[in-house]
């Protein structure tokens, strides 16, 4: 026990002595004030170097790069918007052209239809006229035939009546026979 | 002689006791993060904006533990 | 003490990785001495130059891979400043972005084996935080004049409570740079120190095969797990530092809650 306390006290004494002549031997180098001016000096140098590097070169450059990228993105979006607008316009133009063509086509169709109708009407009218003329001719001829047939009937009836009267043995008066036949035919 | 030995003994005991302060810091940091997580799980959308606040809270809680660690180191090596 | 060798031959040097050494020779560290801190800060500057200047050299509208990473970072911080600090905060965007880039690259470079994490030093993070604190306070008074003091006078609280709250607000305002810087340095330091502690346990199998069979694989798994956590923390702490800067800036620009 005595020896350990001896050793411990010696160690403590050594430490104290070491602290006296060479501060490096103190346990915590952080509390070695002899190195403070050195560290602070080099820290200030390092900080100034970093500050100059960053503020003069790096930060403006990175800021510029980011701004450029932002600008490029904005431009691209604007260009895309523009192209989209153009596409919409082209679509509208296409639609308009389509509508125009469709109306043109229907106009042409209507015109053609009208023309055909006109021709047709003319042809129908002509045919109607021809038909009317032909039917009038036919009617005339039928009338003629009917008239001649009636005349023939009258003639035959008169002749037949005169023959029958003669056969019965009496002298046929032509005028009386005529009158009788005519009266009978009318009846 | 005996006094010097007692001083050395006391120094080491003191350093050990100072280290218990770090346990308090551990509890504190755990408390901060745990509460943050509990809140963040209830309202995840608000969590992102508050991470910085959480780190500040951790830093404050931890600083005190570091102080006790520093006291331990000072006792061990500097005195 | 840290360099003290423990029993069983295991060697614990958890804080050694943070020590600052001159790059050339072994002399005293003066203000201008190039040290390992200088080297790794220079690597950060180099990485930032490569990513943001060489990576965006093409100025392509359709970005290359590296350029889109640069744009992602720019957009991320730009949005954060605009959202948190408001549109008038964008004037300070280059400085906020500078701080973010420096922290994020220092954190990630610090995760490389054998590297040095400049953001694990309170001197570094303290200066970053103090610059933010002073700048924000000056901006607050220049933009709002005495109206900036309305930040401490909470109108929504009951009148008797207001002086008390004002005292608390003033104290918390002046604690800001402390917590702002210690948070970052502490996180970086803690993770790296824990990795180193586990790393010290890994060679146990060489000393004692009995317990080493369990401890060595466990240590390796633990190192991997903590490394993964550290990758996360490296980014989150840069994010938190930046967003807190934005919050402070918002307070300065619009002090009326």
């Amino acid at each position: 026990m005595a020896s350990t306390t001896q050793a411990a006290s010696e160690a403590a004494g050594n430490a104290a002595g070491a602290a006296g002549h060479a501060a490096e031997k103190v346990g915590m180098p952080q509390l070695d004030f002899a190195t403070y001016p050195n560290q602070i000096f080099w820290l200030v140098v390092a900080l100034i170097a970093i500050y100059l590097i960053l503020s003069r070169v790096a930060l403006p450059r990175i800021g510029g790069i980011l701004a450029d990228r932002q600008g490029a993105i904005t431009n691209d979006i604007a260009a895309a918007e523009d192209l989209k607008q153009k596409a919409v316009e082209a679509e509208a133009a296409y639609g308009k052209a389509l509508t125009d063509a469709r109306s043109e086509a229907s106009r042409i169709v209507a015109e053609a239809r009208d023309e055909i109708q006109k021709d047709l009407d003319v042809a129908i009218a002509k045919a109607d006229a021809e038909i009317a003329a032909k039917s009038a001719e036919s009617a005339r001829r039928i009338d003629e035939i009917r008239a001649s047939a009636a005349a023939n009937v009258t003639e035959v009836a008169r002749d037949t009546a005169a023959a029958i009267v003669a056969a019965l043995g009496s002298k046929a008066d032509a005028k009386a026979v005529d009158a009788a036949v005519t009266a009978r035919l009318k009846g | 002689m005996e006094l010097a030995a007692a001083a050395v003994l006391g120094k080491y005991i003191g350093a050990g006791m100072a280290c218990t302060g770090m346990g308090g810091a551990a509890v504190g940091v755990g408390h901060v993060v745990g509460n943050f997580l509990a809140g963040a799980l209830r309202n995840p959308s608000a969590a992102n904006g508050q991470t910085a606040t959480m780190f500040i809270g951790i830093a404050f809680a931890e600083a005190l533990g570091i102080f006790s660690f520093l006291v331990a180191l000072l006792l061990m090596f500097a005195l | 003490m840290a360099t003290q060798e423990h029993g069983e031959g295991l060697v614990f040097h958890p804080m050694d990785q943070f020590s600052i050494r001159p790059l050339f020779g072994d002399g005293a560290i003066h203000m201008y001495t190039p040290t390992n801190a200088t080297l790794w800060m220079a690597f950060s500057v180099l990485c930032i130059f490569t990513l943001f200047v060489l990576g965006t050299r093409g100025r392509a509208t359709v970005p290359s891979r590296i350029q889109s990473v640069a744009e992602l970072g720019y957009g991320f911080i730009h949005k954060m400043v605009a959202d948190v600090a408001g549109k008038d905060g964008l004037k300070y965007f280059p400085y906020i972005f500078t701080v973010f880039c420096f922290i994020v690259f220092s954190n990630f470079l610090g995760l490389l084996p054998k590297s040095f994490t400049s953001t694990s030093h309170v001197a570094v993070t303290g200066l970053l935080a103090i610059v933010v604190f002073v700048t924000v306070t000056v901006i607050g008074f220049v933009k709002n004049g005495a109206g900036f003091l309305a930040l401490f006078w909470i109108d929504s609280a009951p009148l008797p409570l207001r002086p008390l709250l004002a005292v608390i607000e003033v104290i918390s305002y002046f604690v800001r740079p402390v917590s702002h810087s210690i948070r970052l340095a502490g996180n970086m330091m803690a993770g790296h120190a824990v990795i180193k502690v586990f790393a010290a346990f890994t060679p146990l199998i060489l000393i004692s095969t009995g317990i080493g069979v369990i401890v060595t694989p466990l240590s390796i798994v633990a190192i991997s797990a903590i490394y993964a956590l550290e990758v996360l923390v490296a980014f989150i702490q840069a994010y938190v530092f930046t967003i807190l800067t934005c919050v402070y800036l918002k307070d300065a620009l619009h002090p009326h809650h």
Side-chain angles (χ1 to χ4, degrees):
Chain A
M1 194 63 193
S3 68
T4 33
T5 48
Q6 181 85 13
S9 65
E10 262 174 22
N14 284 346
H21 69 261
E24 255 187 327
K25 296 296 173 208
V26 173
M28 270 178 81
Q30 279 86 352
L31 295 178
D32 183 0
F33 294 102
T35 62
Y36 274 32
N38 178 274
Q39 288 193 66
I40 288 170
F41 171 75
W42 288 113
L43 173 66
V44 169
V45 170
L47 281 184
I48 288 173
I50 295 171
Y51 185 80
L52 290 181
I53 288 172
L54 289 180
S55 67
R56 289 291 149 85
V57 185
L59 295 185
R61 187 186 286 177
I62 296 176
I65 291 169
L66 292 180
D68 280 0
R69 182 171 310 148
Q70 200 55 47
I73 289 171
T74 315
N75 283 347
D76 285 359
I77 288 174
E81 202 64 41
D82 206 33
L83 289 176
K84 197 180 162 194
Q85 194 60 40
K86 274 185 187 155
V88 168
E89 274 167 16
E91 201 193 339
Y94 170 74
K96 193 172 169 296
L98 205 65
T99 323
D100 284 357
R102 203 170 277 151
S103 63
E104 179 75 12
S106 62
R107 195 180 58 74
I108 288 169
V109 165
E111 255 174 29
R113 194 185 289 140
D114 284 356
E115 217 155 281
I116 290 166
Q117 192 65 48
K118 213 183 284 166
D119 286 358
L120 208 61
D121 285 353
V122 169
I124 288 171
K126 201 174 159 197
D128 279 355
E130 268 174 22
I131 289 165
K134 281 217 170 124
S135 62
E137 175 80 5
S138 309
R140 199 178 50 79
R141 286 189 59 182
I142 289 167
D143 284 354
E144 261 175 28
I145 290 164
R146 191 179 284 153
S148 71
N152 287 346
V153 165
T154 316
E155 192 74 21
V156 168
R158 204 177 287 151
D159 285 355
T160 312
I164 291 168
V165 170
L168 286 175
S170 63
K171 181 65 175 133
D173 185 5
K175 282 203 194 234
V177 171
D178 261 359
V181 169
T182 309
R184 215 46 164 171
L185 279 175
K186 275 183 186 156
Chain B
M1 291 297 181
E2 293 295 332
L3 201 64
V8 171
L9 186 68
K11 199 164 84 175
Y12 285 129
I13 292 175
M17 282 165 69
C19 282
T20 53
M22 291 194 284
V27 172
V29 172
H31 200 69
V32 170
V33 178
N35 279 337
F36 174 79
L37 256 186
L41 289 176
R42 282 185 196 202
N43 187 3
S45 56
N48 277 340
Q50 299 305 318
T51 2
T53 322
M54 179 191 70
F55 276 111
I56 294 173
I58 289 179
F60 281 128
E62 198 193 19
L64 301 172
I66 294 291
F67 286 154
S68 76
F69 173 72
L70 196 74
V71 169
L73 279 182
L74 287 174
L75 283 173
M76 287 274 288
F77 298 110
L79 293 178
Chain C
M1 301 288 279
T3 54
Q4 189 181 346
E5 295 210 357
H6 290 243
E8 299 190 351
L10 286 183
V11 189
F12 288 90
H13 297 300
M15 306 309 274
D16 254 24
Q17 55 182 327
F18 303 122
S19 64
I20 291 178
R21 297 183 187 86
L23 274 184
F24 312 107
D26 203 19
I29 294 168
H30 302 294
M31 195 165 164
Y32 310 107
T33 319
T35 57
N36 48 356
T38 315
L39 179 70
W40 288 94
M41 283 179 193
F43 278 143
S44 298
V45 176
L46 202 67
C47 287
I48 290 166
F49 183 79
T50 309
L51 177 58
F52 290 104
V53 176
L54 300 185
T56 59
R57 205 176 23 184
R59 297 164 197 252
T61 307
V62 178
S64 60
R65 250 180 254 177
I66 187 162
Q67 188 188 322
S68 56
V69 171
E71 285 172 11
L72 206 66
Y74 179 96
F76 180 62
I77 301 300
H78 197 268
K79 187 171 175 297
M80 187 200 286
V81 176
D83 285 356
V84 178
K87 289 277 175 232
D88 39 353
L90 283 178
K91 208 172 17 166
Y92 311 101
F93 167 66
Y95 182 69
I96 294 174
F97 195 55
T98 302
V99 170
F100 175 77
C101 289
F102 175 75
I103 294 175
V104 91
F105 276 101
S106 296
N107 289 358
F108 277 115
L109 285 173
L111 282 172
L112 296 175
K114 290 279 177 190
S115 71
F116 172 82
T117 323
S118 27
T119 40
S120 69
H121 275 260
V122 184
V124 170
T125 61
L127 183 73
L128 289 172
I130 285 170
V131 168
V132 168
F133 178 77
V134 170
T135 315
V136 158
T137 311
V138 168
I139 289 171
F141 277 113
V142 168
K143 291 251 167 184
N144 306 291
F148 183 56
L149 295 172
L151 185 64
F152 308 116
W153 195 252
I154 299 163
D155 289 332
S156 54
L159 192 57
L161 271 180
R162 281 183 211 171
L164 185 65
L165 282 177
V167 170
I168 294 173
E169 286 284 321
V170 168
I171 292 172
S172 79
Y173 187 80
F174 282 99
V175 169
R176 272 177 182 186
V178 178
S179 66
H180 204 187
S181 59
I182 298 286
R183 180 182 302 114
L184 177 57
N187 266 292
M188 286 303 113
M189 196 199 318
H192 289 247
V194 170
I195 288 179
K196 260 293 197 288
V197 169
F198 278 114
F201 277 114
T202 33
L204 197 66
I205 196 160
L206 301 176
I207 298 157
S208 151
T209 29
I211 194 161
V213 171
I214 302 164
V215 169
T216 300
L218 262 183
S219 311
I220 292 168
V221 168
I223 289 173
S224 315
I226 292 192
Y227 193 91
L229 181 72
E230 279 306 292
V231 171
L232 187 70
V233 164
F235 179 77
I236 286 184
Q237 288 309 315
Y239 174 76
V240 163
F241 194 97
T242 318
I243 204 165
L244 284 177
T245 305
C246 292
V247 169
Y248 298 162
L249 187 60
K250 186 205 77 184
D251 281 351
L253 294 173
H254 320 280
H256 308 282
H257 314 245

